[in-house]
Each structure stands twice: as structure tokens, then as C-alpha cells.
Amino acid sequence: MSTTVEIFVNGECHRVAVGSSVADLVAELGLVGQRIAVERNGRIVPRDHYREESLAAGDRVEIVRAIGGGQGGDDPLVIAGRTYRSRLLVGTGKYKDLAETKAAIEASGAEIVTVAIRRTNIGQHADEPNLLDVISPEKYTILPNTAGCYTVADAVRTCQLARELLGGHRLVKLEVLGDEKTLYPDVVATLEAARILVDDGFEVMVYTNDDPVVAKKLEDVGCIAVMPLAAPIGSGLGIRNPYNIRTIVENASVPILVDAGVGTASDAAVAMELGCDGVLMNTAIAEAKNPVLMAEAMKLGVEAGRKAYLAGRMPRRRYASASSPLDGTFF
């Protein structure tokens, strides 16, 4: 009787001992302690379930590194088990019309697009332009959000309406606001709403402040991505607390995406250089003098920041360090 079974790891045949778990496979591949995402037969395996998840003959396992390794197609963003080439997520508000919305989204290269369910142009009236004609669910991943919700009940209800509207859609962006002036999140309410939605089967990407402790609590609740703000929504101030963002990234086992406060392409690049997995923005593009051109700039900023992060920057030094050797000079 054979003591091993054949499985497929990232498309290649691999043999493991009978009774092996995902944890055993991760150890065998030398990936213990690394930030990775594991998918077994099309289903994401949570990190804390690796030892419980037994492998069987014919299993198809996908293992994706969340940090490091490759560019372009070899460096995908993984959200809810789906892979994306673009690490830029964009919103649909504040544009002058649907034509500009469509052009800017196309220029951004984004594949995930947020939609505020309670606003118009989602198809409430047959004679109105339909936003879903511009961002077809066949082309984009639609990310319904709870924009404007100030209570747990409103946020949960909005997500349930989104699920109904989009035919069982489970991926949502949760935000529960606590203050109308700053639009800072109500952390207590956000945690409560996240628990309810996760228990109801939603895949929750959650907007929060830049507090590393809160970010980890939201991950522990079961949110599939945590989205700390760079600065207040729509402020364009850029990342105010880069060390907090870096700490959140270092502590996380789920994707971390900066959400809110980005003003220009250099802000997006900084977020990516800190190790974030992506950036979500709306106002920075929609309120630019040329939204379509800014969308393209943001795309390039995200790509440049990611490549710089993967490359590893030079160390900061207090004093100068000559780039050319001094040996052999004429003086």
C-alpha cells in the first residue's frame, strides 16, 4: 500500500505523505513563517486551520506569496480567493457623468470597483442611466460599500441589500462612521458589524483607523482584508502615520489596503512602499482637474511603489557614501 498521495501544488504534481495536512505541506515547502495565502480546491484555507485541513489525493492547492517574488502576473493580489493583476481599487462617486466614470476606471486599470448601494444610478428606474452598465459585473468585481452608515443596523442592512441586488454577492466593504466632520470610523460599531456580517457568510473588507491593535482585532473577527485610512476620507492629505501602517502590515495575515486620504500618485507609491497590498481611492481621481489622466498616474504610482517595495530600498545613512570608489583617483 502506498504511503504517499499525489496532489497538485500551483499546477505541478507533488507527492505528500498519507494523512498530511496543509501545515505539513507548508513546512515541507519551507514556507513556515512567511506571509502566504493557501487555497485548496478553490477554497481559501484560513491560516489557523492549516493543521486541521487534511490533504487528499487529487487535491489542487494554490499557494501565493503575499510579500515578495516576481512582478506582474507573478505577483497577484488575492482577495477572497480571486487573483487580480491590479492593486489599485477605485470608487465611482463624484464624477461629472457616467462617461467620465467609465473612462477614469478604464485608465486606472482597476479590477475591483466600489459602489454605494443606497445612491441613484444603480438601476432603480428603468429610464435612468445604470451604473452597472458602465462597470459590468462581467468585467469588474463589484465591491458594495456601506458609505454613509453611522449605525451597525444600517451597515448590516446595506450589505444584505447589496447581496440581494447582486444575486448572492458576498464580498462587501464595511465602514461604520462615527463623526460627520472627520468621517472617522466608529471602531466599536465596526467590530460589532463585522462579527455579524462574517457570521452571516459575508466576505468583509473593512475600513478602519490606523490603529494596529484594532486592525488585528478585525482580522481576528474574520475580515478577509483590513483597510486602514491614510488620512480622513476625501482629505487628500496622504499617509499621516506611516509607522502605524507599517506595523499593521507587519502584524497581518490578511491583505492590508490603504483606504481614504490619498491625494496624488506619490501618496499611492508611499503606501505600496510600506508593504501594503493595495490602495483604494475615489476623490483623488474624481476631483482632479483631469480625472482620466490622474487615474493613469495612480495606476503607475501603485505599480512603481510595489516594485520599489519588492526591490528593497537602500538603507538610510546619516552621512554621504560615495557612489564611485576613491581608489585610483588623481589626487
Side-chain angles (χ1 to χ4, degrees):
M1 181 177 179
S2 176
T3 59
T4 63
V5 295
E6 183 178 274
I7 65 172
F8 295 89
V9 179
N10 291 353
E12 296 183 6
C13 182
H14 189 86
R15 299 198 72 88
V16 297
V18 172
S20 292
S21 65
V22 169
D24 296 327
L25 176 62
V26 169
E28 180 183 335
L29 296 175
L31 299 175
V32 174
Q34 297 191 31
R35 293 186 64 211
I36 58 174
V38 178
E39 179 186 85
R40 176 176 174 243
N41 299 331
R43 179 178 59 83
I44 293 293
V45 181
R47 184 176 296 271
D48 56 358
H49 291 177
Y50 283 6
R51 293 198 175 280
E52 305 166 14
E53 189 84 7
S54 297
L55 298 170
D59 278 353
R60 292 188 173 275
V61 179
E62 294 291 330
I63 300 178
V64 178
R65 294 177 183 272
I67 290 182
Q71 303 175 26
D74 295 328
D75 181 39
L77 171 64
V78 180
I79 298 289
R82 293 186 60 180
T83 59
Y84 299 92
R85 297 181 303 276
S86 174
R87 292 176 178 272
L88 174 60
L89 292 68
V90 296
T92 53
K94 301 185 177 181
Y95 291 99
K96 67 179 182 182
D97 53 35
L98 290 183
E100 184 178 77
T101 304
K102 179 180 180 181
I105 292 173
E106 289 179 348
S108 75
E111 297 167 281
I112 303 177
V113 181
T114 65
V115 172
I117 293 301
R118 294 185 297 168
R119 294 177 181 167
T120 59
N121 293 331
I122 304 296
Q124 291 90 336
H125 305 290
D127 57 346
E128 287 188 358
N130 191 330
L131 181 59
L132 296 183
D133 291 335
V134 173
I135 50 167
S136 168
E138 296 179 0
K139 181 177 180 181
Y140 299 99
T141 292
I142 307 300
L143 181 61
N145 68 48
T146 60
C149 292
Y150 287 84
T151 69
V152 172
D154 283 347
V156 170
R157 181 169 124 262
T158 298
C159 290
Q160 291 170 340
L161 287 169
R163 181 167 58 187
E164 178 69 19
L165 177 64
L166 298 172
H169 192 86
R170 296 192 300 147
L171 182 66
V172 294
K173 179 197 165 190
L174 170 65
E175 56 183 72
V176 185
L177 303 177
D179 176 74
E180 292 187 6
K181 182 176 182 180
T182 65
L183 299 182
Y184 278 129
D186 181 332
V187 171
V188 174
T190 299
L191 280 163
E192 182 180 349
R195 289 190 186 97
I196 294 171
L197 291 170
V198 169
D199 288 344
D200 195 22
F202 283 93
E203 296 167 327
V204 180
M205 301 174 67
V206 59
Y207 165 72
T208 185
N209 58 23
D210 56 5
D211 183 336
V213 174
V214 171
K216 194 62 180 176
K217 286 182 180 294
L218 288 165
E219 178 184 334
D220 292 341
V221 163
C223 295
I224 63 164
V226 177
M227 309 174 76
L229 55 81
I233 293 172
S235 68
L237 292 173
I239 296 178
R240 297 294 85 197
N241 294 306
Y243 296 105
N244 283 22
I245 299 295
R246 182 180 290 279
T247 300
I248 290 171
V249 170
E250 290 174 348
N251 291 342
S253 299
V254 297
I256 302 297
L257 300 92
V258 158
D259 177 17
V262 169
T264 189
S266 59
D267 299 330
V270 168
M272 299 307 296
E273 289 174 4
L274 289 170
C276 292
D277 296 279
V279 181
L280 189 152
M281 66 183 71
N282 184 179
T283 306
I285 296 175
E287 290 193 353
K289 292 181 180 179
N290 185 332
V292 176
L293 187 59
M294 182 60 80
E296 183 180 1
M298 290 299 189
K299 172 186 176 181
L300 297 174
V302 168
E303 291 175 354
R306 179 63 178 178
K307 289 182 179 180
Y309 173 70
L310 294 176
R313 64 157 291 140
M314 62 167 283
R316 291 180 171 88
R317 301 184 179 97
R318 183 178 178 186
Y319 298 108
S321 175
S323 57
S324 299
L326 296 179
D327 294 343
T329 57
F330 293 101
F331 51 87

